[in-house]
Amino acid sequence: MDFSGKIIAVLPPKSGVSKATGNEWKAQEFVIENHDQYPKKMCFEVFGAEKIEQFAIQMGEELTVSFDIDARQWNDRWFNSIRAWKVERVAAGAPIADASTYGSSVPPPPPTGAPEFTPGNVNDDLPF
């Protein structure tokens, strides 16, 4: 899955040692916000020191993040994990909105008024 938008938060890196293997690990979380009419935010994780360095994500960057979603259970509760596996910089001057949403990069105009409906309209096919 992909999510495009602007990085609005860079959280501090986390690190530790795996109980199972004894290997060290490092992860960092970032928050990205899209440019929809009602913007949505997503917190995603980059796992591994080499991936964190490779992606080099900075505050305010326009990115497209490819990610996987997984869930895990702990103490009878479920938690989602959104882990990035690819990050691409959005080219300067490129349209930010997903063209497939509107058929072009220009959003549709807002409605001009109330729909034409009068009580008792014979064309009303709703059962209530």
Side-chain angles (χ1 to χ4, degrees):
M1 290 185 236
D2 293 337
F3 191 96
S4 295
K6 180 178 181 178
I7 297 296
I8 61 168
V10 176
L11 303 174
K14 299 181 227 174
S15 60
V17 177
S18 169
K19 291 180 184 177
T21 63
N23 295 333
E24 290 186 32
W25 58 268
K26 187 173 181 181
Q28 189 168 9
E29 293 180 322
F30 304 88
V31 180
I32 188 169
E33 181 177 48
N34 69 11
H35 300 286
D36 289 352
Q37 180 179 1
Y38 302 106
K40 293 185 177 38
K41 297 172 187 75
M42 178 181 77
C43 182
F44 66 95
E45 174 184 71
V46 176
F47 189 84
E50 59 283 341
K51 286 284 188 194
I52 294 169
E53 290 175 28
Q54 175 189 352
F55 295 159
I57 298 171
Q58 302 295 316
M59 183 74 153
E61 280 189 300
E62 293 287 338
L63 304 175
T64 296
V65 178
S66 299
F67 59 93
D68 289 324
I69 300 174
D70 194 17
R72 63 192 179 288
Q73 187 178 17
W74 184 71
N75 287 344
D76 294 327
R77 294 199 56 196
W78 285 90
F79 298 89
N80 290 317
S81 171
I82 301 173
R83 189 168 288 177
W85 54 270
K86 182 172 82 171
V87 171
E88 297 175 303
R89 266 69 187 176
V90 175
I96 295 170
D98 181 6
S100 65
T101 304
Y102 304 112
S104 73
S105 62
V106 179
T112 56
E116 294 183 27
F117 175 77
T118 55
N121 187 342
V122 294
N123 295 330
D124 184 7
D125 59 352
L126 296 175
F128 47 88

